[in-house]
Structure formats: C-alpha cells, structure tokens
Amino acid sequence: MRPPTSIDLIGQDVWSDESPLYKLAVKDKVQSVILWGPAGSGKTSLAHLIGKMSKRKIVVMSAVTEGVVKIRKVIEQSINSKSINKGRHFLFMDELHRLNRAQQDVLLPGIEQGSVRFIGATTEN
C-alpha cells in the first residue's frame, strides 16, 4: 500500500516541503539518487513520488531479476523519449547492491551521459 501523494509521505525527514529532495523533485531537477534504509522504510514509495512530482515515467527494475538486455532497452527507450520531447525516464533499481559487473557496465554510461535519470535503493551500506 503505497502513499498516492506526497502529502501522505510527509513526516519522513527526507520528504517535507522544506527538504532539498522535495524541492528538486517539484522543479524536475533530480538527476540521480541512491536511497538507503531498512526494508519497509519507504524507499520505493519515495522513488515513485519523485517520478510523479517530476512528471516523468519511472521504470521499476530489480538488480536480482533484470539482465543487461532489459537495462539496455530501458536506456534506449529513455533516449528515444527525450528525442520526442517527453523527457528522460527515471530508472528505479531496487536491490542496487546486487548489481553484477555486466549490469554495472551497461548502466553506468547511460547515467553518466544523462541518457536516463537514476534512482537506486539498497538495504546495504
């Protein structure tokens, strides 16, 4: 059961009217973010709200289940979307700490070149 609006998530220190992350999301200035915390702390909900506030498509993936082909496809879709003035997608990668070397090698250039905006979530430090 995810909070449908930003008001429902307020109360978290990272997401209030005065927080830098909230202000960046409202202005569509969030580029890349890594969210760290225990399971059930709202990382995925926060990622969805960032995408919603930024008015961008958010593609949800898990480092455990998605492979290089799917990551590459999402980056290509984001590039194509930008070329038709719809803006880059947010790629939300859950279990970020589980990315293997091949997944990292595909993902990193897309993030560095700005082809996709990135939100990662992890329970590991």
Side-chain angles (χ1 to χ4, degrees):
M1 191 164 143
R2 299 207 186 284
T5 66
S6 61
I7 292 170
D8 297 322
L9 194 65
I10 289 181
Q12 302 285 344
D13 292 339
V14 72
W15 194 255
S16 68
D17 290 341
E18 298 301 316
S19 73
L21 184 58
Y22 181 85
K23 290 177 182 179
L24 287 171
V26 168
K27 294 177 184 176
D28 189 26
K29 299 288 186 189
V30 176
Q31 297 297 316
S32 294
V33 177
I34 296 177
L35 304 171
W36 170 79
S41 61
K43 298 178 297 292
T44 302
S45 295
L46 182 57
H48 281 281
L49 286 173
I50 290 170
K52 187 175 183 178
M53 299 286 292
S54 299
K55 296 180 176 59
R56 295 188 179 270
K57 179 179 179 180
I58 185 161
V59 179
V60 178
M61 301 176 82
S62 171
V64 177
T65 60
E66 303 297 346
V68 170
V69 173
K70 178 78 184 247
I71 295 169
R72 188 175 286 125
K73 183 178 178 182
V74 169
I75 292 170
E76 289 171 9
Q77 287 173 344
S78 183
I79 291 168
N80 292 336
S81 179
K82 184 174 176 12
S83 69
I84 55 174
N85 294 326
K86 289 187 178 180
R88 294 168 288 187
H89 298 339
F90 271 112
L91 170 56
F92 172 69
M93 183 67 69
D94 201 9
E95 304 293 335
L96 180 63
H97 59 279
R98 301 287 300 269
L99 282 175
N100 65 40
R101 183 67 160 193
Q103 291 167 312
Q104 292 175 41
D105 288 345
V106 169
L107 186 58
L108 192 56
I111 295 170
E112 288 176 339
Q113 295 165 3
S115 302
V116 67
R117 293 182 177 190
F118 182 78
I119 303 173
T122 182
T123 57
E124 300 294 319
N125 190 337

